[in-house]
Amino acid sequence: MNIIKYKNWYFALSLLVIIPGIISLFLWGLNLSIDFTGGSRLTYSVNNVSDNKKIISVFEKDKIKIESTSQSSNNITLRTATLSQSQHTQLVGDLEKNVKGIKEQEFSTIGPTIGRETTLNALWGIGLASLLIVLYIAISFRGVPKPTNSWQFGICAIIALLHDALVLLGVFSLLGHFFGVEVDSLFVTAVLTVIGFSVHDTIVVFDRIRENLKVHAGSPFGEVVNASILQTMGRSLNTSLTVILVLFALLLFGGESTKWFVAALLVGIISGTYSSIFNASQLIVLWQEVRNKTK
Protein backbone atom coordinates (compact mmCIF):
# COMPACT_ATOMS: atom_id res chain seq x y z
CA MET A 1 0.00 0.00 0.00
CA ASN A 2 1.44 3.33 -1.08
CA ILE A 3 0.13 5.85 1.45
CA ILE A 4 2.63 8.58 0.55
CA LYS A 5 1.37 8.65 -3.03
CA TYR A 6 -1.91 10.26 -1.93
CA LYS A 7 -0.47 12.78 0.55
CA ASN A 8 -2.05 15.75 -1.24
CA TRP A 9 -5.48 14.17 -0.78
CA TYR A 10 -4.85 13.82 2.96
CA PHE A 11 -3.80 17.46 3.17
CA ALA A 12 -6.94 18.48 1.25
CA LEU A 13 -9.17 16.51 3.62
CA SER A 14 -7.55 18.21 6.60
CA LEU A 15 -8.14 21.64 5.08
CA LEU A 16 -11.75 20.69 4.34
CA VAL A 17 -12.25 19.99 8.06
CA ILE A 18 -10.18 22.89 9.41
CA ILE A 19 -11.34 25.80 7.21
CA PRO A 20 -15.01 25.91 8.41
CA GLY A 21 -13.74 25.91 11.99
CA ILE A 22 -11.26 28.72 11.33
CA ILE A 23 -14.00 30.80 9.70
CA SER A 24 -16.24 30.14 12.72
CA LEU A 25 -13.45 31.17 15.10
CA PHE A 26 -12.96 34.46 13.25
CA LEU A 27 -16.68 35.20 13.03
CA TRP A 28 -17.97 33.99 16.39
CA GLY A 29 -15.00 32.80 18.45
CA LEU A 30 -15.59 30.37 21.32
CA ASN A 31 -18.60 30.44 23.61
CA LEU A 32 -16.64 31.02 26.82
CA SER A 33 -18.08 29.91 30.15
CA ILE A 34 -17.92 31.91 33.36
CA ASP A 35 -14.57 30.20 34.07
CA PHE A 36 -13.07 32.68 31.61
CA THR A 37 -15.48 35.61 31.50
CA GLY A 38 -16.55 35.74 35.14
CA GLY A 39 -20.19 35.80 36.23
CA SER A 40 -22.74 33.50 37.84
CA ARG A 41 -24.37 30.29 36.66
CA LEU A 42 -27.58 28.97 38.19
CA THR A 43 -29.36 25.71 37.40
CA TYR A 44 -32.90 24.91 38.52
CA SER A 45 -35.13 21.85 38.25
CA VAL A 46 -38.87 22.42 37.86
CA ASN A 47 -41.99 20.30 37.74
CA ASN A 48 -43.17 21.69 34.41
CA VAL A 49 -41.28 23.14 31.47
CA SER A 50 -43.80 26.01 31.44
CA ASP A 51 -42.33 27.16 34.78
CA ASN A 52 -39.19 28.31 32.95
CA LYS A 53 -41.01 31.48 31.87
CA LYS A 54 -41.89 32.20 35.49
CA ILE A 55 -38.23 31.80 36.48
CA ILE A 56 -37.12 34.27 33.80
CA SER A 57 -39.79 36.77 34.89
CA VAL A 58 -38.53 36.60 38.50
CA PHE A 59 -34.99 37.39 37.30
CA GLU A 60 -36.34 40.36 35.36
CA LYS A 61 -38.36 41.53 38.38
CA ASP A 62 -35.22 41.42 40.55
CA LYS A 63 -33.37 43.39 37.82
CA ILE A 64 -30.88 40.60 37.17
CA LYS A 65 -29.78 40.63 33.55
CA ILE A 66 -29.75 37.18 31.94
CA GLU A 67 -26.85 36.70 29.51
CA SER A 68 -27.85 33.25 28.24
CA THR A 69 -30.16 30.34 29.00
CA SER A 70 -30.17 26.65 28.15
CA GLN A 71 -32.83 24.04 28.83
CA SER A 72 -32.82 20.26 29.04
CA SER A 73 -35.80 18.15 30.13
CA ASN A 74 -37.00 19.78 33.38
CA ASN A 75 -33.82 21.76 34.04
CA ILE A 76 -32.97 25.32 33.09
CA THR A 77 -29.51 26.92 33.35
CA LEU A 78 -29.04 30.70 33.35
CA ARG A 79 -25.90 32.82 33.11
CA THR A 80 -25.82 36.29 34.59
CA ALA A 81 -23.36 38.93 35.69
CA THR A 82 -21.64 38.20 39.01
CA LEU A 83 -24.24 37.97 41.79
CA SER A 84 -23.51 38.91 45.38
CA GLN A 85 -24.60 36.64 48.24
CA SER A 86 -27.42 39.03 49.17
CA GLN A 87 -28.70 39.10 45.58
CA HIS A 88 -28.65 35.33 45.46
CA THR A 89 -30.49 35.00 48.78
CA GLN A 90 -33.21 37.40 47.64
CA LEU A 91 -33.49 35.59 44.31
CA VAL A 92 -33.93 32.21 46.00
CA GLY A 93 -36.72 33.61 48.18
CA ASP A 94 -38.55 35.19 45.23
CA LEU A 95 -38.29 32.03 43.14
CA GLU A 96 -39.70 29.85 45.93
CA LYS A 97 -42.65 32.23 46.28
CA ASN A 98 -43.47 32.34 42.57
CA VAL A 99 -42.50 28.90 41.23
CA LYS A 100 -43.96 25.87 42.97
CA GLY A 101 -41.61 22.91 43.47
CA ILE A 102 -38.48 24.68 42.18
CA LYS A 103 -35.10 23.31 43.32
CA GLU A 104 -31.73 24.96 42.86
CA GLN A 105 -29.30 22.37 41.49
CA GLU A 106 -26.25 24.62 41.07
CA PHE A 107 -25.06 28.08 41.93
CA SER A 108 -21.51 29.05 41.01
CA THR A 109 -19.97 32.49 40.70
CA ILE A 110 -16.55 33.59 39.49
CA GLY A 111 -15.15 37.11 39.53
CA PRO A 112 -13.83 38.69 36.31
CA THR A 113 -10.28 38.85 37.71
CA ILE A 114 -10.14 35.09 38.26
CA GLY A 115 -11.61 34.63 34.78
CA ARG A 116 -8.79 36.65 33.20
CA GLU A 117 -6.18 34.71 35.21
CA THR A 118 -7.67 31.40 34.02
CA THR A 119 -7.49 32.54 30.40
CA LEU A 120 -3.88 33.70 30.76
CA ASN A 121 -2.82 30.48 32.51
CA ALA A 122 -4.48 28.40 29.80
CA LEU A 123 -2.59 30.23 27.03
CA TRP A 124 0.70 29.94 28.93
CA GLY A 125 0.13 26.23 29.48
CA ILE A 126 -0.56 25.46 25.83
CA GLY A 127 2.35 27.63 24.64
CA LEU A 128 4.85 26.12 27.09
CA ALA A 129 3.75 22.57 26.24
CA SER A 130 4.28 23.22 22.52
CA LEU A 131 7.75 24.72 23.09
CA LEU A 132 8.87 21.80 25.27
CA ILE A 133 7.63 19.31 22.69
CA VAL A 134 9.69 20.92 19.92
CA LEU A 135 12.81 20.93 22.10
CA TYR A 136 12.26 17.33 23.20
CA ILE A 137 11.88 16.03 19.64
CA ALA A 138 14.82 18.11 18.38
CA ILE A 139 17.08 16.69 21.10
CA SER A 140 15.79 13.11 20.90
CA PHE A 141 16.12 12.93 17.11
CA ARG A 142 19.47 14.71 16.85
CA GLY A 143 21.11 11.50 15.56
CA VAL A 144 18.64 10.95 12.73
CA PRO A 145 20.39 9.92 9.47
CA LYS A 146 20.54 12.12 6.41
CA PRO A 147 18.81 13.55 4.41
CA THR A 148 16.61 14.79 7.28
CA ASN A 149 17.47 16.53 10.55
CA SER A 150 15.96 16.63 14.02
CA TRP A 151 14.40 20.09 13.62
CA GLN A 152 12.48 18.84 10.60
CA PHE A 153 10.84 16.19 12.75
CA GLY A 154 10.11 18.69 15.52
CA ILE A 155 8.50 21.27 13.24
CA CYS A 156 6.37 18.67 11.42
CA ALA A 157 5.20 17.30 14.78
CA ILE A 158 4.13 20.80 15.85
CA ILE A 159 2.28 21.37 12.57
CA ALA A 160 0.39 18.10 13.15
CA LEU A 161 -0.27 19.24 16.73
CA LEU A 162 -1.65 22.57 15.48
CA HIS A 163 -3.85 20.63 13.05
CA ASP A 164 -5.44 18.75 15.95
CA ALA A 165 -5.83 21.88 18.07
CA LEU A 166 -7.49 23.76 15.20
CA VAL A 167 -9.87 20.89 14.50
CA LEU A 168 -10.89 20.80 18.17
CA LEU A 169 -11.23 24.59 18.50
CA GLY A 170 -13.13 24.84 15.22
CA VAL A 171 -15.60 22.09 16.14
CA PHE A 172 -16.33 23.71 19.51
CA SER A 173 -16.64 27.15 17.96
CA LEU A 174 -19.35 25.76 15.66
CA LEU A 175 -21.01 23.88 18.53
CA GLY A 176 -20.92 27.02 20.66
CA HIS A 177 -22.52 29.19 18.00
CA PHE A 178 -25.23 26.80 16.82
CA PHE A 179 -25.93 24.75 19.97
CA GLY A 180 -24.77 27.00 22.82
CA VAL A 181 -21.98 24.65 23.99
CA GLU A 182 -19.70 26.47 26.43
CA VAL A 183 -15.92 26.16 26.70
CA ASP A 184 -14.80 25.87 30.33
CA SER A 185 -11.60 25.04 32.21
CA LEU A 186 -12.12 21.33 31.50
CA PHE A 187 -11.85 22.13 27.80
CA VAL A 188 -8.31 23.44 28.38
CA THR A 189 -7.51 20.14 30.07
CA ALA A 190 -8.89 18.34 27.02
CA VAL A 191 -6.76 20.44 24.64
CA LEU A 192 -3.58 19.70 26.60
CA THR A 193 -4.47 15.98 26.73
CA VAL A 194 -5.05 15.92 22.98
CA ILE A 195 -1.72 17.68 22.38
CA GLY A 196 0.06 15.06 24.46
CA PHE A 197 -1.71 12.17 22.75
CA SER A 198 -1.11 13.59 19.28
CA VAL A 199 2.62 14.02 19.84
CA HIS A 200 2.91 10.57 21.46
CA ASP A 201 1.34 8.92 18.41
CA THR A 202 3.45 11.00 16.01
CA ILE A 203 6.70 10.13 17.80
CA VAL A 204 5.93 6.40 17.43
CA VAL A 205 5.87 6.83 13.65
CA PHE A 206 8.88 9.17 13.62
CA ASP A 207 10.93 6.76 15.71
CA ARG A 208 10.27 3.95 13.23
CA ILE A 209 11.28 6.26 10.36
CA ARG A 210 14.56 6.99 12.16
CA GLU A 211 15.26 3.28 12.65
CA ASN A 212 14.43 2.41 9.05
CA LEU A 213 16.61 5.21 7.71
CA LYS A 214 19.55 3.55 9.46
CA VAL A 215 18.66 0.02 8.32
CA HIS A 216 17.79 0.98 4.73
CA ALA A 217 20.43 3.62 4.10
CA GLY A 218 20.39 4.68 0.46
CA SER A 219 16.77 3.70 -0.17
CA PRO A 220 14.38 6.38 -1.52
CA PHE A 221 13.21 8.54 1.36
CA GLY A 222 9.52 8.26 0.45
CA GLU A 223 9.67 4.46 0.43
CA VAL A 224 11.28 4.36 3.87
CA VAL A 225 8.61 6.68 5.31
CA ASN A 226 5.81 4.70 3.66
CA ALA A 227 7.14 1.41 5.09
CA SER A 228 7.45 2.99 8.54
CA ILE A 229 3.83 4.17 8.48
CA LEU A 230 2.58 0.73 7.47
CA GLN A 231 4.63 -0.93 10.24
CA THR A 232 3.18 1.33 12.94
CA MET A 233 -0.36 1.83 11.61
CA GLY A 234 -1.81 -1.24 13.31
CA ARG A 235 -0.44 -0.21 16.70
CA SER A 236 -1.68 3.38 16.32
CA LEU A 237 -5.18 2.36 15.25
CA ASN A 238 -5.55 -0.29 17.94
CA THR A 239 -4.34 2.06 20.69
CA SER A 240 -6.67 4.83 19.55
CA LEU A 241 -9.63 2.49 19.14
CA THR A 242 -9.41 1.27 22.75
CA VAL A 243 -9.36 4.87 24.00
CA ILE A 244 -12.23 5.88 21.69
CA LEU A 245 -14.41 2.99 22.89
CA VAL A 246 -13.90 3.97 26.54
CA LEU A 247 -14.63 7.63 25.80
CA PHE A 248 -17.72 6.72 23.80
CA ALA A 249 -19.03 4.73 26.77
CA LEU A 250 -18.35 7.70 29.06
CA LEU A 251 -20.16 9.99 26.63
CA LEU A 252 -23.23 7.76 26.70
CA PHE A 253 -23.34 6.92 30.40
CA GLY A 254 -21.25 9.63 32.10
CA GLY A 255 -22.57 12.66 33.92
CA GLU A 256 -23.74 15.89 32.34
CA SER A 257 -20.83 17.84 33.84
CA THR A 258 -18.21 15.84 31.89
CA LYS A 259 -20.14 15.30 28.66
CA TRP A 260 -18.44 18.00 26.60
CA PHE A 261 -15.04 17.28 28.12
CA VAL A 262 -15.34 13.69 26.88
CA ALA A 263 -16.65 14.91 23.51
CA ALA A 264 -13.59 17.17 23.17
CA LEU A 265 -11.28 14.24 23.90
CA LEU A 266 -13.08 12.12 21.30
CA VAL A 267 -12.73 14.77 18.59
CA GLY A 268 -9.09 15.42 19.48
CA ILE A 269 -8.01 11.78 19.62
CA ILE A 270 -9.67 10.91 16.31
CA SER A 271 -7.99 13.94 14.75
CA GLY A 272 -4.67 13.11 16.42
CA THR A 273 -4.70 9.55 15.10
CA TYR A 274 -5.42 10.81 11.59
CA SER A 275 -2.75 13.51 11.66
CA SER A 276 -0.07 11.18 13.03
CA ILE A 277 -0.57 8.70 10.19
CA PHE A 278 -1.65 10.86 7.28
CA ASN A 279 -0.19 14.32 7.93
CA ALA A 280 2.96 14.45 10.07
CA SER A 281 5.05 11.92 8.11
CA GLN A 282 3.74 13.16 4.76
CA LEU A 283 4.88 16.66 5.68
CA ILE A 284 8.45 15.39 6.10
CA VAL A 285 8.28 13.73 2.67
CA LEU A 286 6.87 16.92 1.11
CA TRP A 287 9.58 18.99 2.79
CA GLN A 288 12.26 16.67 1.43
CA GLU A 289 10.78 16.75 -2.07
CA VAL A 290 10.82 20.56 -2.05
CA ARG A 291 14.45 20.58 -0.84
CA ASN A 292 15.47 18.19 -3.61
CA LYS A 293 13.80 20.36 -6.25
CA THR A 294 15.53 23.53 -5.01
CA LYS A 295 19.01 22.03 -5.04
Side-chain angles (χ1 to χ4, degrees), residues 153-164 166 275 279-280 283 287:
F153 282 89
I155 292 170
C156 289
I158 288 299
I159 293 173
L161 181 156
L162 290 173
H163 166 277
D164 302 332
L166 284 173
S275 67
N279 283 348
L283 281 169
W287 190 333

Side-chain angles (χ1 to χ4, degrees), residues 106-258:
E106 177 193 11
F107 170 64
S108 56
T109 186
I110 295 176
T113 302
I114 296 175
R116 285 193 294 270
E117 287 179 0
T118 303
T119 304
L120 187 61
N121 289 337
L123 294 173
W124 272 111
I126 293 172
L128 181 60
S130 301
L131 177 62
L132 291 175
I133 287 166
V134 173
L135 292 174
Y136 169 75
I137 294 176
I139 293 170
S140 297
F141 283 77
R142 62 187 181 278
V144 68
K146 299 293 184 181
T148 58
N149 59 65
S150 59
W151 289 104
Q152 236 174 300
F153 282 89
I155 292 170
C156 289
I158 288 299
I159 293 173
L161 181 156
L162 290 173
H163 166 277
D164 302 332
L166 284 173
V167 168
L168 185 54
L169 291 170
V171 167
F172 270 77
S173 175
L174 291 166
L175 288 173
H177 180 71
F178 292 106
F179 300 102
V181 176
E182 293 184 346
V183 168
D184 56 14
S185 55
L186 275 179
F187 180 77
V188 178
T189 306
V191 172
L192 291 171
T193 304
V194 167
I195 286 173
F197 184 90
S198 172
V199 172
H200 168 269
D201 222 17
T202 301
I203 286 177
V204 170
V205 182
F206 282 1
D207 194 51
R208 185 56 60 90
I209 294 172
R210 178 176 60 178
E211 292 175 0
N212 286 336
L213 283 172
K214 294 176 181 178
V215 175
H216 303 286
S219 299
F221 184 68
E223 291 182 10
V224 173
V225 173
N226 191 74
S228 302
I229 293 172
L230 292 175
Q231 290 167 13
T232 56
M233 185 183 291
R235 172 184 170 178
S236 296
L237 292 176
N238 288 333
T239 302
S240 298
L241 184 59
T242 55
V243 177
I244 288 168
L245 290 174
V246 172
L247 290 175
F248 190 68
L250 283 172
L251 189 63
L252 290 176
F253 305 111
E256 185 70 23
S257 61
T258 60

Side-chain angles (χ1 to χ4, degrees), residues 255-277:
E256 185 70 23
S257 61
T258 60
K259 180 175 72 173
W260 292 113
F261 169 68
V262 174
L265 289 177
L266 265 174
V267 171
I269 286 172
I270 291 170
S271 175
T273 303
Y274 176 85
S275 67
S276 297
I277 298 172

Side-chain angles (χ1 to χ4, degrees), residues 9 12 22 25 32 64 177 201 231:
W9 287 101
I22 292 176
L25 284 167
L32 300 176
I64 298 173
H177 180 71
D201 222 17
Q231 290 167 13

Side-chain angles (χ1 to χ4, degrees), residues 30-38 41 79 182-185:
L30 293 167
N31 185 19
L32 300 176
S33 74
I34 62 170
D35 290 355
F36 298 102
T37 61
R41 178 169 51 222
R79 272 183 58 181
E182 293 184 346
V183 168
D184 56 14
S185 55

